[in-house]
Amino acid sequence: MFSFSNISSYHSELQAASFTCVEAVEFYLENIRKQQHLNAFVHVFEAESLERAQQLDCRRGNKEATGRLHGVVIAIKDVICYKDHTVTAASGILKGFKSLFNATVVQRLLDEDAIIIGICNCDEFAMGSTNENSVYGATKNALNETKVPGGSSGGSAVAVQAGMCMVSLGSDTGGSVRQPADFCGIIGLKPSYGTISRHGLIAYASSFDQIGIFGKNVDDLRHILSVINGMDDHDSTVAQFPARVFPSSPAKKTIRFASFQNAIGHSSLDPEIAEGIKDIAKKLVQAGHKLNNIDFGLIDFIVPTYYILSTAEASSNLSRYDGVRYGYRSTSGNKDLATFYKKSRSEGFGKEVKRRIMLGTFVLSEGYYDAYFTKAQQVRNILKQQTEKIFSANDIIIMPTVPTTAFTQGAAAGDPVSIYLADIYTVYANLTGIPAISVPLFKHSNGMPFGLQLLSKRFDEAILLDCATMLMQNYSSN
């Protein structure tokens, strides 16, 4: 009978003929059917994934060479282009649109024999922290269906959480991989900006967006990251060095950890989460690691800076969705071109997307550009400079991922600003371009999981993954 623990063991069992790729795909398809009510998937490629699994089984049976992700069953977020498959960013404005090409990450997965089983639900255009802002309806947290799974990559998180695939891809603009990973009790990695090509990723905020990975163990994230990172002629923002591999290796004997004291002591942080992180910090020192407590004075500037810059970029990026070239087109009462644009965009976009477009248009408008956008860019530069100084004397920053455990369904509708403020711990990594990972170490007294967030200097994902492994092996209370 098929079971999955990690990619390495899966490959060993395939070689030993313990089961086949077809049996693996059938197992996940059955799980998807049983848990359809969670609304994690918007499209499932049943026939296609079974056919690909058969082809891979034949190739393996014929002793042909196999790829590094041979038979690995993966789900992708509905903002990542997959040729000849529908991609809508969970928005009515892209209803029925099919991608004309593969995103670079998708092509690299397929080249290494992965099986893409389906497309996952998300907040519209990746704008949201609950996965309730979707034209397909809300996704539910498998651990407690009255709770949200987080967002915007909530469907991708639940797909892994509930055993509907082995690993999944999401996107992270301000915490959209790490926050749902935290809420769902799994691992979520946002690599450095520029580690993974954004070609084929539908843009929200181009200087923030990065494709991220969900899994249940760190080694699986190593496998995926080793395949999808590296240079790409289609993306001028990707780092210009060859693809790296991320083998498992022991963490450094002495790691220099930094802790932002005003983050751990912030008024928004749940006391139980604060105590859990303080306890881990104490144990790390007892184990011989170093801990530097830092008073990070810019913490209350992080969220405003993020929302000014990200909404400004969103306003620009989403201007292309006008009903003329593709996607939703209004057919009622269009007296002139301006009315046509207004109706198509008003009817096609959801409430949260329209809110952020208006915010972004405002901060870019004449008379406000310097007061908001220019100032926010200056703060971002200061953040980057201070971050470089911190990592000149430290290896890892530890902080919470989210101030609370998973929100109750519907809570965001009543108070969207409080949901924005809950991004206080995640958007820092996107503003500065550094990598970050949420590691599921704790369980709250309310029964929901929460994690510890680790951050390292730019392009040092290796130490991040090694440290995450060490923490999960030695300090997990789940």
Side-chain angles (χ1 to χ4, degrees):
M1 182 178 173
F2 174 79
S3 64
F4 177 78
S5 57
N6 57 66
I7 292 172
S8 295
S9 297
Y10 172 62
H11 282 159
S12 297
E13 292 181 83
L14 282 175
Q15 292 299 330
S18 300
F19 42 71
T20 64
C21 293
V22 168
E23 288 173 310
V25 170
E26 287 174 339
F27 171 86
Y28 289 112
L29 289 172
E30 180 62 22
N31 276 357
I32 292 170
R33 284 190 288 269
K34 284 178 181 176
Q35 300 175 98
Q36 212 167 4
H37 66 287
L38 297 175
N39 201 25
F41 282 85
V42 297
H43 300 290
V44 180
F45 311 135
E46 185 166 343
E48 180 183 313
S49 57
L50 284 169
E51 182 182 352
R52 182 163 173 84
Q54 282 181 328
Q55 292 170 354
L56 294 174
D57 285 336
C58 286
R59 284 170 51 189
R60 195 175 62 259
N62 293 333
K63 307 297 183 187
E64 295 178 35
T66 57
R68 288 180 286 170
L69 298 178
H70 181 81
V72 175
V73 180
I74 299 176
I76 60 175
K77 183 178 179 179
D78 189 27
V79 291
I80 299 173
C81 292
Y82 186 10
K83 187 177 180 181
D84 298 328
H85 296 75
T86 302
V87 58
T88 66
S91 178
I93 204 137
L94 279 173
K95 185 178 180 181
F97 179 73
K98 286 190 175 181
S99 177
L100 303 176
F101 63 95
N102 281 332
T104 297
V105 290
V106 168
Q107 190 59 57
R108 288 176 179 174
L109 292 174
L110 296 174
D111 288 346
E112 294 293 343
D113 290 352
I115 299 170
I116 297 177
I117 200 168
I119 307 290
C120 289
N121 202 357
C122 61
D123 285 300
E124 184 181 6
F125 280 97
M127 297 183 191
S129 302
T130 65
N131 214 139
E132 295 172 298
N133 306 318
S134 168
V135 74
Y136 302 108
T139 300
K140 297 177 181 178
N141 192 316
L143 292 173
N144 182 338
E145 294 176 21
T146 68
K147 303 292 185 181
V148 302
S152 61
S153 309
S156 297
V158 172
V160 171
Q161 175 199 43
M164 293 186 266
C165 60
M166 295 174 185
V167 290
S168 66
L169 296 186
S171 65
D172 192 311
T173 305
S176 289
V177 167
R178 290 159 288 150
Q179 188 247 33
D182 181 279
F183 282 3
C184 292
I186 59 174
I187 308 167
L189 170 68
K190 182 206 85 75
S192 307
Y193 184 81
T195 291
I196 298 172
S197 171
R198 293 184 300 110
H199 175 65
L201 173 67
I202 294 176
Y204 161 15
S206 301
S207 73
F208 294 82
D209 299 339
Q210 183 63 196
I211 290 170
I213 311 165
F214 293 99
K216 287 188 174 179
N217 65 80
V218 179
D219 282 347
D220 286 354
L221 272 64
R222 295 179 192 275
H223 269 91
I224 303 300
L225 184 59
S226 295
V227 167
I228 64 176
N229 84 97
M231 291 186 294
D232 179 20
D233 292 340
H234 299 294
D235 180 6
S236 62
T237 66
V238 78
Q240 294 302 301
F241 43 72
R244 294 171 288 161
V245 293
F246 299 90
S248 181
S249 58
K252 291 167 65 176
K253 287 185 178 179
T254 302
I255 299 173
R256 300 171 299 170
F257 290 97
S259 174
F260 293 169
Q261 286 309 285
N262 44 349
I264 304 296
H266 201 273
S267 59
S268 67
L269 185 60
D270 179 292
E272 208 169 314
I273 295 176
E275 284 306 309
I277 293 172
K278 287 176 185 175
D279 184 57
I280 286 289
K282 193 182 300 180
K283 288 176 179 175
L284 288 169
V285 172
Q286 290 170 351
H289 301 290
K290 294 181 179 178
L291 179 67
N292 296 318
N293 293 316
I294 296 172
D295 185 16
F296 191 67
L298 290 172
I299 193 159
D300 288 326
F301 292 89
I302 288 174
V303 171
T305 300
Y306 168 75
Y307 275 101
I308 287 169
L309 296 177
S310 66
T311 57
E313 292 185 20
S315 172
S316 176
N317 279 327
L318 271 63
S319 63
R320 72 193 70 177
Y321 304 107
D322 54 14
V324 174
R325 288 158 287 190
Y326 46 77
Y328 178 81
R329 175 178 295 187
S330 177
T331 56
S332 60
N334 297 316
K335 299 176 184 178
D336 51 45
L337 189 60
T339 304
F340 167 74
Y341 285 153
K342 182 179 178 180
K343 281 184 168 289
S344 294
R345 288 168 65 80
S346 296
E347 295 167 13
F349 287 130
K351 185 177 180 181
E352 182 60 30
V353 171
K354 286 187 279 192
R355 181 187 287 123
R356 298 197 192 196
I357 289 173
M358 288 189 288
L359 280 169
T361 303
F362 173 75
V363 301
L364 290 174
S365 61
E366 187 177 358
Y368 296 99
Y369 185 92
D370 287 336
Y372 290 99
F373 188 79
T374 302
K375 287 292 183 187
Q377 289 283 37
Q378 290 168 348
V379 173
R380 188 180 195 181
N381 285 332
I382 294 169
L383 280 167
K384 287 180 178 178
Q385 290 165 12
Q386 290 204 5
T387 301
E388 287 177 8
K389 286 183 181 177
I390 290 167
F391 284 120
S392 68
N394 299 279
D395 301 310
I396 296 280
I397 297 171
I398 57 172
M399 68 167 74
T401 306
V402 193
T404 68
T405 55
F407 316 131
T408 301
Q409 294 267 359
D415 190 3
V417 174
S418 70
I419 302 300
Y420 292 175
L421 294 174
D423 293 336
I424 186 169
Y425 300 120
T426 52
V427 297
Y428 170 58
N430 302 85
L431 279 163
T432 56
I434 62 176
I437 190 169
S438 181
V439 187
L441 298 180
F442 311 101
K443 192 167 188 177
H444 198 277
S445 59
N446 64 17
M448 297 304 291
F450 65 94
L452 174 68
Q453 185 180 194
L454 309 174
L455 306 94
S456 65
K457 68 181 180 183
R458 197 171 177 195
F459 302 124
D460 199 358
E461 286 85 1
I463 192 171
L464 208 61
L465 294 166
D466 292 342
C467 187
T469 301
M470 179 269 289
L471 287 168
M472 289 194 71
Q473 289 173 346
N474 298 319
Y475 303 108
S476 177
S477 57
N478 284 335

